[in-house]
Amino acid sequence: MGKNERKRLPIGISNFKEIIENDYYYVDKTNFIANILKEGFKVELFTRPRRFGKTLNISMLNYFFNIENKEENRKLFENLNISKSKYFEKQGNYPVISISFRNYGEKDWENGIKAIKTVISNTYDEHKFVMDNLDKRELKKFEDIWLENDEGDWKNSLLNLTKYLYEYYGKKVVILIDEYDQPIIDSYVKGYYEEAIDFFKSFYGSVLKDNEYLELGVITGILRVAKENIFSGLNNLKVHTILNDKFTEYFGIIESEVEQALKDFNLEYDLKDVQKWYNGYLFGDIQVYNPWSIINFLDEKKLKPYWVNTSGNELIKLYLKRLKNEIFNDFSKLLNKESILKRINDNMTFGNLEANFSRNIWNLFFHSGYLTLAEKYDEEEEDVFLKIPNEEILRMFSEMFIDVYFEDYDKFSGMTYALKTGDIETFRFEMNRILLENTGIFDVSGIYKEQFYHGLMLGLILKLRREYEITSNNFSGKGRYDLLLKPRNLLRRDEGIIFELKVVNVKENSSLEEIQEKLKRECEIALKQIDDKEYVSALRNAGIEKVLKIGLTFCGKEFEVRFEREKI
C-alpha cells in the first residue's frame, strides 16, 4: 500500500460491516471465528481490558453467523482469512441475538433498570418480524418487552426471544453479549450492586443455562471479577482470560501487525519508541499492543496517551482511595518502574475482593489492563511479578497517584515549574502550601508521615519525568544520592538537579525556633554530603555543565530548603 493509497483509520468505529464496506484499515482477525467453532464449546466468555477489540469481534461474529442478509454479509468476508477455512460453510446459518451494555452508566438502580430495559426492548425491535408467527399469549409477552411495560418478563426476556427465533427459523440461535459486566461494575462503584446482581443472575442464567434453543453463546467483558455466581451451574462455559489463552492474537494487535501498520502508514518512528508507549502487555506468553492506542497513533503520528481517559477508571480510583495507606509502598515501586510480587487468579469475585482489599486489588488492576505480567506466566507458581505495561499507563497512574494522595494534580504544577526555572523561592512557597493543605497527615503515625514525604517527592518526579531522566538511590561518586534529575534535551543546556532529603526528628516539647534551627543545620549537612560524596560526577559524565544542588529537610509540616548552583 503506497503513500497515496493509504486507507482511512476506523477511529471510534466498531461496526465490522462499516469498516469493510468503507475500506477502512483493518487487521484481519477473522480466524477468531474458525477457532471458536473448532473449540466447540456451547458458551465462551472472553475477558479483556477496555478497547482491546471486543466490540468489533462481536460485530464480526454477528455479520458472519446471521441468517438475515446472508448473501450480502457473505461478501464482507470474501477476501479475509475465514473465507479460506472449512468453517466458512457456517456463514449465515443461524438467527443471531446481539446485545451490548458497553455504554451503560447510571447513577442508581431506578435509572439502571430503565436503561437495561431499553437495551432489551431495542433488541426485540430488531426481531419484531417474529410477531407474525406468535399466538395471542406469546404475542402479549413479546409486546410487553417491546413496549417496555413494567409487567414484562424481563429476567427471561432473552430466553424467550431465543424461543421465538427458533420457532420462526427452525434453527438454533447464536447469542452475542458484549461487555456483559459493565452494569455490574458500574452498580458496584455507585452503590446499587445487590439490585443489579440479583437481576443479572436470572437474566444471564436463564438464556445460557440448559437453553434448548441455544446454538452458541459468546460473551465479552472486562473482568471475570464480576461473575459472582452469575454463571453458576453453567457447565458448558469456557472462560478465556488474559493469563493463558490461545485466543490472545485476536484481541489486541501483535508485534508483526504493528510493524506492518507502521510500514503501511510510512511512519518514521522506531518500533522501540512505539513499544515503550503502547506495548508491554503480556497475555499468556504473547506480547500485545493496545489497538485503540495504535490506531490513534497511526492517525496523529504523536507518541502520547490515547487509551487512558476518565471513562472506565472509576473502579480503579475507588480502590486506590480506599487502600491509599496499605498499598503506598507497592504503588510507589510500580511508579518507579519496578515489579511487585503478587498472587493473581481467575476466580475472584467482588465478595472476596471486599474481604481482602489489599491483596485482591492487584487482581483488579491486572485483569483491567492497568498492570501486566513482568515475565511469562507459569501455572505452577502461585505468585507472579507485575509491572506497569508502558509509558501510557505510567502517565495515567502518575496523575492518579497525585490525585489520590494530594487530591489535585495541578497543585504540583507551580512547584515543578519553579524548580525547572530555578526559582527556589517560589518552589519554597509552593512546597509550604502543599504541606499546610495536608496538615492532617501529621496527626497520624510516624510511618505515614514518612510515606507522605516520599509521596510528595514522588509527585515531583512524576510531573518532571517528561523533561528529566530521573533516578533515585543510585551510586554516583562515593555514595548513593537520593534523587538525580538529568535533562533529557542536552542541547538546551538545562541544569541537572540533585536532591538530598532528610526527615528530622525532634523532642516532643521542642519549640518552633528549635525545630527550624535543626532543619537549617540538616540542610547544610545535606548540601555538604552532595559535595563530599561527589554526586555531581553522574551529571558531569553525562555532559551536563550546570547543576542545582538542593538540600531539603522535613519535620512534621515544617521544612527547610537550601540550594547551591555551580558549573561542573
Side-chain angles (χ1 to χ4, degrees):
M1 183 170 65
K3 188 172 183 179
N4 297 326
E5 304 168 34
R6 194 176 303 158
K7 292 190 176 186
R8 291 180 296 166
L9 289 155
I11 297 172
I13 301 173
S14 53
N15 182 292
F16 179 78
K17 181 178 182 180
E18 184 178 353
I19 288 173
I20 300 302
E21 286 190 338
N22 291 289
D23 201 28
Y24 283 100
Y25 192 81
Y26 175 66
V27 178
D28 192 341
K29 301 291 184 180
T30 57
N31 278 338
F32 178 54
I33 303 166
N35 276 273
I36 284 179
L37 293 170
K38 183 179 179 181
E39 279 254 301
F41 288 98
K42 192 84 166 180
V43 182
E44 306 212 41
L45 169 62
F46 295 89
T47 61
R48 293 296 187 277
R50 290 180 301 116
R51 300 194 182 279
F52 265 77
K54 299 187 298 295
T55 299
L56 179 56
N57 277 342
I58 287 290
S59 176
M60 175 181 70
L61 294 175
N62 185 3
Y63 285 108
F64 181 82
F65 286 117
N66 212 320
I67 198 170
E68 296 175 39
N69 302 314
K70 174 179 179 177
E71 296 306 319
E72 181 183 340
N73 290 341
R74 189 176 185 85
K75 296 173 185 176
L76 301 175
F77 298 90
E78 283 179 350
N79 297 313
L80 299 174
N81 291 332
I82 187 63
S83 65
K84 305 176 186 72
S85 167
K86 66 179 181 180
Y87 295 103
F88 197 44
E89 65 185 32
K90 296 284 187 179
Q91 188 273 326
N93 277 10
Y94 306 98
V96 175
I97 298 171
S98 184
I99 192 166
S100 176
F101 292 105
R102 64 190 295 239
N103 296 319
Y104 180 94
E106 301 297 333
K107 63 181 179 178
D108 54 38
W109 182 238
E110 182 181 357
N111 288 287
I113 190 62
K114 284 181 182 177
I116 291 164
K117 287 179 177 179
T118 297
V119 170
I120 301 169
S121 173
N122 290 341
T123 304
Y124 265 59
D125 188 65
E126 292 172 12
H127 302 283
K128 59 189 174 185
F129 55 83
V130 303
M131 287 193 288
D132 296 337
N133 206 45
L134 301 179
D135 60 31
K136 188 174 182 180
R137 180 171 178 271
E138 295 293 347
L139 183 60
K140 171 67 166 62
K141 290 170 70 175
F142 189 101
E143 289 181 337
D144 280 342
I145 303 299
W146 185 42
L147 300 174
E148 296 188 48
N149 294 331
D150 289 340
E151 63 267 27
D153 185 5
W154 292 98
K155 289 184 176 180
N156 290 305
S157 55
L158 276 195
L159 171 64
N160 291 336
L161 187 54
T162 60
K163 178 186 176 186
Y164 303 148
L165 286 169
Y166 175 78
E167 291 174 345
Y168 186 90
Y169 286 108
K171 290 177 174 285
K172 290 186 177 183
V173 179
V174 171
I175 293 276
L176 307 173
I177 303 173
D178 186 35
E179 304 290 11
Y180 87 98
D181 55 352
Q182 177 55 34
I184 300 164
I185 295 171
D186 199 58
S187 72
Y188 186 75
V189 173
K190 295 173 181 173
Y192 56 94
Y193 172 73
E194 294 301 329
E195 294 97 327
I197 204 71
D198 177 69
F199 175 83
F200 281 108
K201 277 182 180 179
S202 299
F203 180 72
Y204 290 138
S206 66
V207 70
L208 298 173
K209 182 182 177 183
D210 302 326
N211 181 355
E212 62 183 301
Y213 311 111
L214 180 67
E215 173 68 25
L216 171 68
V218 179
I219 310 162
T220 73
I222 299 170
L223 305 171
R224 196 183 177 186
V225 72
K227 77 184 186 78
E228 209 77 347
N229 295 322
I230 286 176
F231 306 126
S232 62
L234 192 61
N235 297 323
N236 56 1
L237 173 68
K238 175 67 174 177
V239 180
H240 304 272
T241 73
I242 59 178
L243 269 177
N244 199 351
D245 180 26
K246 61 185 177 184
F247 285 87
T248 291
E249 65 183 283
Y250 304 117
F251 294 90
I253 303 180
I254 60 176
E255 188 142 296
S256 60
E257 294 167 340
V258 172
E259 288 187 49
Q260 185 59 51
L262 294 178
K263 290 178 184 176
D264 290 341
F265 284 81
N266 299 315
L267 285 168
E268 302 297 327
Y269 287 89
D270 189 282
L271 181 62
K272 289 182 179 178
D273 293 327
V274 180
Q275 282 177 331
K276 178 183 174 183
W277 269 88
Y278 308 118
N279 194 6
Y281 295 97
L282 190 61
F283 292 174
D285 59 356
I286 298 177
Q287 289 283 344
V288 180
Y289 289 74
N290 183 321
W292 175 259
S293 301
I294 292 297
I295 289 173
N296 279 275
F297 165 69
L298 292 173
D299 179 55
E300 295 194 22
K301 304 174 181 59
K302 293 178 182 178
L303 292 164
K304 68 177 188 177
Y306 296 107
W307 182 65
V308 174
N309 52 47
T310 54
S311 66
N313 292 335
E314 291 85 355
L315 191 63
I316 301 299
K317 287 182 179 177
L318 174 70
Y319 280 112
L320 283 178
K321 287 178 179 177
R322 292 179 70 170
L323 290 169
K324 59 189 292 185
N325 295 354
E326 292 91 332
I327 67 170
F328 181 92
N329 290 333
D330 284 325
F331 199 10
S332 298
K333 287 179 181 177
L334 289 168
L335 291 170
N336 281 318
K337 299 185 178 180
E338 298 175 38
S339 299
I340 57 174
L341 187 64
K342 296 296 172 184
R343 183 160 299 182
I344 298 297
N345 61 64
D346 289 335
N347 300 307
M348 192 175 66
T349 66
F350 277 124
N352 59 35
L353 182 57
E354 287 286 338
N356 195 331
F357 274 134
S358 57
R359 185 178 73 195
N360 284 318
I361 189 174
W362 307 112
N363 256 311
L364 176 64
F365 287 178
F366 172 69
H367 288 289
S368 301
Y370 295 99
L371 297 178
T372 192
L373 299 172
E375 54 192 41
K376 183 178 176 180
Y377 178 61
D378 184 350
E379 293 183 10
E380 301 298 320
E381 296 292 333
E382 291 186 338
D383 298 328
V384 298
F385 281 101
L386 300 177
K387 66 176 183 177
I388 291 177
N390 50 44
E391 187 69 22
E392 187 173 38
I393 303 300
L394 179 63
R395 294 282 175 91
M396 181 210 74
F397 267 139
S398 299
E399 294 194 18
M400 277 192 181
F401 179 86
I402 297 172
D403 284 343
V404 167
Y405 289 94
F406 299 96
E407 298 182 354
D408 186 359
Y409 192 74
D410 291 332
K411 284 180 183 177
F412 279 81
S413 296
M415 192 160 61
T416 53
Y417 183 75
L419 188 61
K420 286 188 296 182
T421 56
D423 186 351
I424 296 299
E425 290 310 311
T426 300
F427 176 81
R428 182 197 301 271
F429 173 81
E430 295 293 340
M431 175 79 77
N432 186 55
R433 183 167 65 90
I434 289 176
L435 289 171
L436 289 174
E437 288 176 357
N438 289 275
T439 188
I441 293 296
F442 306 106
D443 298 328
V444 296
S445 70
I447 295 174
Y448 192 54
K449 290 178 194 175
E450 297 282 344
Q451 288 184 340
F452 176 81
Y453 298 131
H454 182 178
L456 181 64
M457 299 317 298
L458 183 56
L460 268 176
I461 290 171
L462 297 172
K463 284 284 284 183
L464 291 165
R465 190 171 265 147
R466 299 184 195 189
E467 293 144 284
Y468 293 88
E469 181 182 323
I470 302 174
T471 51
S472 61
N473 295 313
N474 272 12
F475 280 106
S476 178
K478 300 175 183 177
R480 284 180 180 269
Y481 53 78
D482 283 336
L483 283 176
L484 186 143
L485 286 68
K486 183 176 75 175
R488 292 188 183 277
N489 188 347
L490 299 182
L491 296 177
R492 285 172 44 182
R493 301 190 180 279
D494 293 334
E495 60 188 3
I497 304 172
I498 298 175
F499 278 97
E500 185 62 32
L501 314 174
K502 294 188 181 297
V503 177
V504 175
N505 294 313
V506 295
K507 294 178 181 178
E508 208 169 300
N509 59 352
S510 296
S511 67
L512 179 60
E513 289 76 14
E514 289 173 323
I515 294 172
Q516 290 175 338
E517 186 60 35
K518 187 164 186 179
L519 288 170
K520 290 175 183 176
R521 288 198 304 270
E522 290 295 325
C523 265
E524 297 299 335
I525 292 171
L527 286 175
K528 188 173 185 300
Q529 182 176 326
I530 292 173
D531 289 335
D532 291 346
K533 298 291 186 181
E534 299 180 13
Y535 295 152
V536 295
S537 61
L539 293 172
R540 185 186 299 114
N541 294 339
I544 306 299
E545 298 177 356
K546 296 180 293 182
V547 63
L548 173 63
K549 298 177 288 187
I550 300 176
L552 190 57
T553 56
F554 297 98
C555 181
K557 59 186 176 182
E558 300 297 326
F559 80 101
E560 187 58 64
V561 59
R562 289 283 187 275
F563 67 96
E564 291 179 358
R565 279 194 170 87
E566 70 173 65
K567 290 186 177 181
I568 55 177

